[in-house]
Amino acid sequence: MGHRKERKQDYRENSFLRGLLSIFSLNNILDDKYVHQYLEGDTENDLRSDWETVGNDLRNAIRKYDKQLLYGK
């Protein structure tokens, strides 16, 4: 039974490592047309746009949280 447990653990570790490595695979990242377009774009405007989106998302999340506190929903 100990051998079975070790084999299950090995499978989990291998799956985790494969998944982790796929995130950092340059082939997958560089082949993505959206990433390629982003990298060719105007970096300053792209960064500004990204941070505006982050700010909007945070504001919306805070408003939603405030509503939940006020109305208990």
Side-chain angles (χ1 to χ4, degrees):
M1 191 151 187
H3 180 63
R4 188 177 193 188
K5 205 176 212 182
E6 288 174 16
R7 195 170 57 198
K8 191 174 185 179
Q9 183 65 28
D10 288 343
Y11 175 75
R12 286 185 192 151
E13 288 174 1
N14 288 336
S15 295
F16 176 76
L17 288 175
R18 278 196 306 262
L20 185 63
L21 291 174
S22 72
I23 293 171
F24 298 107
S25 171
L26 289 178
N27 290 335
N28 291 339
I29 292 171
L30 295 177
D31 286 344
D32 188 346
K33 73 176 184 176
Y34 297 109
V35 172
H36 187 66
Q37 289 172 352
Y38 183 83
L39 292 175
E40 287 184 347
D42 180 5
T43 306
E44 184 179 339
N45 287 330
D46 291 342
L47 285 172
R48 181 182 299 114
S49 174
D50 289 347
W51 282 109
E52 287 173 354
T53 300
V54 169
N56 290 335
D57 289 347
L58 285 172
R59 276 188 287 283
N60 288 333
I62 290 169
R63 280 189 206 115
K64 184 176 178 181
Y65 179 76
D66 287 343
K67 283 182 183 180
Q68 289 175 345
L69 284 178
L70 287 173
Y71 304 114
K73 293 182 181 179

